[in-house]
Amino acid sequence: MPASDLYQKLEQSWQTKGRTGSLQSPQKFNNQDFTHLRDYCLSRGLLFEDDTFPAHVSSIGPNLLSEDKLSRLQWKRPMMIERNPHLIVDGVSRFDIIQGEIGDCWVLAALGSLTLQRQFLENVLPKDQGFKENYAGIFHFRFWHFGDWVDVVIDDRLPFLNGRYLSVQPRSRNEFWPSLLEKAYAKLRGSYQNLHWGYISDALVDLTGGVQVQFLLQKPPSDLQEIIKAAAKSQCLMGCTMPGGQSIGKMELKNGLVKGHAYTVTGATEIPYKNGWEDIIRVWNPWGHGEWRGPWSDGSPQWDRVPAEYKKDLCEDKDDGEFWMSGHAFAEQFFSLCICNNTPSFLDFGDQRGTRWSLAMYVNQWARGLTAGGSAFSRNPQYFVQVEEPDLKNYNVVVSLIRKPVNNMPDAQILFTGFLIFRVSSIRWYGVAFFSQYKYKVLKYGFNVSTRDVTNYFYLSPGTYVVVPTTSEEGQEAEFLLRIFLRQAELFQNGFQDIFRRVEGTGSGFLDISDLKNAVQRAGLAVNGQLLHLTALRYSDSSMRICLPDFVCCMIRLETMASKSCSWLARVLWGSQNMENMGLHCINHISQYP
C-alpha cells in the first residue's frame, strides 16, 4: 500500500473512530434514536412499543422459566402499577434495589456500586426522561459495549409473574429506575435469561467503560488491605463473590453469607480497636436483606470496644443487607474481589499526584488460517509496549483482553483466551524462531477460565515488550479488544499549561488546531508533520479546537513519542500482520487517560 494511501486510510479511520461510540456521541443500539422515537410517539399520542425487544417470551428467553410460568407472564407499564410513578425518588441509592426471581445478583451488585460513584452513574442514566414531562412510554440507558458507548432504547413494559416483579424490585413502590435500567441491560445482552448467572467483572466494565482487576482471595496479595483502601479512596467500583459456583443457588450459610452470591464492596477503613487498629470492610447484599453474623456485624460485641465517635459514624443496626466485617474475615470468606475504574488508579495506592496512566486500545480478531491461536500463536497479532520510567517500583502495566461474545450470546461459544508477554530488543515482527527460544521464560495470563474479560497487572522493568493475545486451542475464531494501560510519571503538565495560555491568548479557553504547531515548537519537541496532524485530530473537538485538559494529554503524548520521531509510525505499523488494520493499531495507540 503506498504511503499516501495509507495516510489517507489512517485519517479516515481516525475521524470515524473519534466521532462515534463516545459518551458525547454514543452509538444507537439497533439503530434506534431515543429523541426521534419519543417525538414521534408524542406527536401521535402513542406509547412506545419496542419491536426489537418486545413484551413477549422471546425477550425472556426459552430456558429461564417453565412453559407454564411463561404462559402466565404479564407485562405492565409503571402507569398501570402506581398512580404516581417516578424514575427516581430522593436520589439514586443502592438501597433502592431488591433482587427478584432472576439470578442476576452480579448485575445488581455492580449497580449497587455504581450508585456510589456519581461520575459513572450520570453516564449510564441520562437525565432527559421521566414520567411527567414528555412521557411516551420510552426510556434509554447507556452502556459500554466492546470499546464503544451505546445508547439502548426500551419501552417501559415490565414482566410480572403471579403479580410480582420477575426481575429487580424497587424498594419504593413508585420508583422505577432499577427495573428499567435492568431491562435495558437485558436487551443489550439479548434477553433476561442472559442475566441469569454472570460475572460481576463484566457488569462493572459495561457500566463504566473502565478496566477491572480481580484478586483471588484463596491466595490474596500481601498488600490486599492497602489495595482495597486505595480503591475506596480512588472512587473505584468494587464487588466480591462467594465460593460455590452457579450450581449452588441461594444457599445461606450459618454465618449469614450466601454461597455462589455476588456482593458490593461499599467501603473500607481502619478503626481503633483495643490497643491497635483494625482493617474493616463494608459489604452490601443485593437481596436488600441478609447479612454477615460474625465479628463486626451489626450489634456485634466488637463495636463496644470502639470509640463512640467511630461507632456513631460507621455502625448502623439495620436489616438493609449492608454490614461490616474484618479484612481477615473478608479474605477468608469470599472467593474473589473485583475492582474497576477508568484507569488502574488504585494501583497507585491512592496517591495519583505524581503519575498518570496512558491507554493503548486495539480491536482485532482471531481468524482460522490467519491467526492460529494455541501453540501456533506466533502468527497472532503482536502489540508493543515501551516501559520507560526506571524509578517507578509499583505495578506499572495492566493488560486487559476482552473477547466479544458471538451474536451477543454469552454462552454461544466456550472459548478460553489469554495473552503472553515477551521482552524484546526492538519493535518489529517476531516469528516462530524467536518464540521457540523462550519456552517457559514468558509472562502468561488467562487460558484457564472461559470469562469474557482476562485482565492482570504487572511490574515490568524498563524495556520493550510484545503482548500476544491468543486462544487456548488452534483454529478458534472470535473478535477481541486489547487494552494496555501504562503507568508513567507526570513531569510536564504545569509547563504545558503555561504554553497553552501563551499560544491561546484570546481567553476563550480553547486552542485552534492551526496553532498546535506553534505550541509544539515552544515545547521544544521535534514531531513529524503527519503524526502531529493525526494527534491533533484525536484531541480536537468537532469544531477543530482543543481545550486545556486535552491539550495537556496531547502534549504529553507527543513528548513521549518525540524521541522516536517519524520512524515511530512505521515501527508500530510493523506490529500489525494485517495491513487493513494498520490504521486502527496506530490510532488507538495514542489514546490516553491523564
Side-chain angles (χ1 to χ4, degrees):
M1 180 182 292
S4 59
D5 292 345
L6 174 59
Y7 175 67
Q8 184 177 14
K9 193 177 189 69
L10 281 169
E11 184 168 358
Q12 290 172 348
S13 299
W14 186 293
Q15 291 172 334
T16 301
K17 186 69 178 176
R19 298 296 182 262
T20 61
S22 65
L23 279 169
Q24 294 74 28
S25 180
Q27 293 182 358
K28 296 175 176 60
F29 190 69
N30 289 347
N31 294 316
Q32 292 176 299
D33 186 289
F34 169 74
T35 302
H36 290 169
L37 289 170
R38 183 174 63 177
D39 289 347
Y40 176 87
C41 292
L42 289 172
S43 67
R44 288 161 176 77
L46 302 173
L47 292 179
F48 178 63
E49 295 186 359
D50 185 7
D51 292 336
T52 70
F53 199 68
H56 184 266
V57 294
S58 60
S59 298
I60 303 297
N63 302 318
L64 182 63
L65 301 173
S66 65
E67 290 187 10
D68 176 60
K69 288 183 177 180
L70 285 173
S71 67
R72 288 188 276 120
L73 273 179
Q74 294 180 300
W75 296 80
K76 299 179 181 180
R77 296 186 187 269
M79 288 290 191
M80 301 167 59
I81 303 167
E82 292 291 328
R83 288 186 177 182
N84 188 29
H86 293 271
L87 184 62
I88 299 170
V89 176
D90 296 329
V92 172
S93 166
R94 59 194 177 281
F95 301 116
D96 298 339
I97 300 169
I98 300 177
Q99 187 178 345
E101 295 298 317
I102 297 175
D104 63 346
C105 57
W106 60 283
V107 178
L108 303 184
L111 279 184
S113 189
L114 183 72
T115 63
L116 294 168
Q117 308 299 343
R118 302 292 169 173
Q119 73 274 21
F120 292 120
L121 177 65
E122 292 176 357
N123 296 335
V124 175
L125 208 167
K127 297 179 179 179
D128 58 344
Q129 55 189 338
F131 290 95
K132 302 302 179 185
E133 185 177 354
N134 293 328
Y135 170 72
I138 183 172
F139 291 84
H140 68 135
F141 301 88
R142 292 172 180 170
F143 306 97
W144 189 84
H145 183 60
F146 199 65
D148 291 302
W149 282 93
V150 295
D151 193 66
V152 180
V153 172
I154 58 167
D155 64 39
D156 62 355
R157 295 176 291 179
L158 299 171
F160 281 75
L161 180 62
N162 300 327
R164 301 177 59 185
Y165 285 88
L166 177 65
S167 54
V168 63
Q169 174 184 337
R171 187 177 294 273
S172 299
R173 290 178 57 87
N174 63 338
E175 184 173 37
F176 288 92
W177 76 263
S179 302
L180 294 173
L181 194 157
E182 182 195 47
K183 180 177 182 179
Y185 193 53
K187 178 177 178 177
L188 178 71
R189 304 275 296 193
S191 68
Y192 279 97
Q193 177 179 299
N194 289 341
L195 301 187
H196 190 68
W197 298 114
Y199 298 97
I200 190 173
S201 55
D202 290 354
L204 288 174
V205 171
D206 293 346
L207 293 171
T208 64
V211 58
Q212 64 82 26
V213 176
Q214 293 191 64
F215 302 88
L216 297 180
L217 300 181
Q218 298 91 335
K219 296 182 179 180
S222 59
D223 51 2
L224 178 66
Q225 300 304 317
E226 294 304 313
I227 288 176
I228 295 175
K229 286 187 288 187
K233 183 177 179 181
S234 301
Q235 298 182 315
C236 298
L237 281 71
M238 291 186 280
C240 54
T241 57
M242 283 287 292
Q246 300 179 358
S247 62
I248 296 296
K250 299 178 180 180
M251 184 182 296
E252 185 173 320
L253 302 174
K254 292 182 179 180
N255 61 20
L257 300 180
V258 180
K259 284 190 175 181
H261 195 41
Y263 292 78
T264 305
V265 176
T266 62
T269 189
E270 56 182 7
I271 192 169
Y273 179 64
K274 295 183 177 179
N275 295 321
W277 292 82
E278 180 86 9
D279 287 317
I280 57 174
I281 297 172
R282 192 174 62 191
V283 182
W284 176 73
N285 183 348
W287 286 359
H289 61 85
E291 301 181 7
W292 163 250
R293 301 190 186 105
W296 298 102
S297 60
D298 294 0
S300 70
Q302 284 75 21
W303 289 105
D304 296 334
R305 304 190 67 174
V306 170
E309 62 271 21
Y310 283 87
K311 183 176 181 179
K312 179 182 178 182
D313 291 340
L314 299 176
C315 183
E316 292 186 291
D317 193 357
K318 297 180 180 178
D319 186 18
D320 54 10
E322 191 165 65
F323 53 87
W324 289 95
M325 61 194 310
S326 70
H328 175 76
F330 176 84
E332 185 176 74
Q333 295 295 328
F334 285 95
F335 173 75
S336 66
L337 166 71
C338 180
I339 301 177
C340 181
N341 207 343
N342 271 341
T343 66
S345 54
F346 61 91
L347 295 178
D348 299 329
F349 296 96
D351 181 11
Q352 304 175 57
R353 291 172 296 177
T355 61
R356 61 183 175 86
W357 287 85
S358 63
L359 167 63
M361 184 168 70
Y362 314 90
V363 177
N364 212 322
Q365 61 182 346
W366 295 292
R368 187 178 294 110
L370 295 176
T371 53
S375 59
F377 62 83
S378 61
R379 295 189 354 230
N380 284 11
Q382 300 175 12
Y383 305 95
F384 295 91
V385 57
Q386 195 119 22
V387 179
E388 298 179 344
E389 302 295 338
D391 57 333
L392 296 177
K393 301 303 181 184
N394 294 327
Y395 305 114
N396 57 358
V397 176
V398 175
V399 179
S400 174
L401 177 66
I402 299 179
R403 166 179 52 87
K404 187 176 184 179
V406 178
N407 298 324
N408 203 36
M409 297 293 288
D411 298 325
Q413 182 184 27
I414 300 298
L415 190 62
F416 295 89
T417 63
F419 54 83
L420 308 170
I421 303 177
F422 299 85
R423 184 161 185 160
V424 294
S425 59
S426 61
I427 300 177
R428 62 179 181 83
W429 183 259
Y430 291 90
V432 64
F434 168 82
F435 292 113
S436 63
Q437 69 180 341
Y438 264 88
K439 295 184 179 179
Y440 301 107
K441 297 178 182 180
V442 60
L443 291 173
K444 182 177 180 181
Y445 191 75
F447 306 105
N448 57 347
V449 292
S450 59
T451 55
R452 181 191 77 175
D453 189 327
V454 176
T455 300
N456 201 14
Y457 56 98
F458 308 92
Y459 171 74
L460 300 183
S461 58
T464 303
Y465 299 83
V466 61
V467 180
V468 184
T470 187
T471 56
S472 60
E473 297 181 16
E474 188 171 338
Q476 293 178 314
E477 295 188 312
E479 290 184 68
F480 66 82
L481 171 70
L482 178 71
R483 295 183 292 171
I484 302 174
F485 293 84
L486 178 63
R487 184 177 188 260
Q488 298 174 324
E490 189 72 85
L491 300 177
F492 305 102
Q493 181 164 339
N494 292 334
F496 289 152
Q497 291 175 348
D498 292 339
I499 292 172
F500 179 90
R501 294 187 180 97
R502 292 178 183 178
V503 175
E504 186 267 328
T506 64
S508 66
F510 290 91
L511 189 71
D512 289 337
I513 195 171
S514 59
D515 294 326
L516 185 59
K517 184 176 181 180
N518 182 16
V520 170
Q521 290 174 343
R522 281 178 176 266
L525 302 179
V527 179
N528 173 274
Q530 291 184 353
L531 182 58
L532 176 63
H533 183 64
L534 286 175
T535 309
L537 288 175
R538 163 65 179 84
Y539 288 100
S540 63
D541 61 17
S542 59
S543 299
M544 306 302 287
R545 303 181 305 169
I546 304 176
C547 65
L548 175 58
D550 286 341
F551 173 77
V552 172
C553 295
C554 174
M555 294 297 285
I556 291 173
R557 199 64 196 151
L558 287 174
E559 193 281 333
T560 302
M561 296 184 294
S563 60
K564 303 174 180 62
S565 190
C566 59
S567 64
W568 178 87
L569 180 63
R571 295 211 307 269
V572 171
L573 293 180
W574 184 261
S576 171
Q577 189 175 27
N578 185 347
M579 291 293 289
E580 293 300 316
N581 290 333
M582 280 186 174
L584 191 56
H585 290 310
C586 175
I587 289 161
N588 284 334
H589 191 87
I590 305 174
S591 300
Q592 178 156 176
Y593 288 108

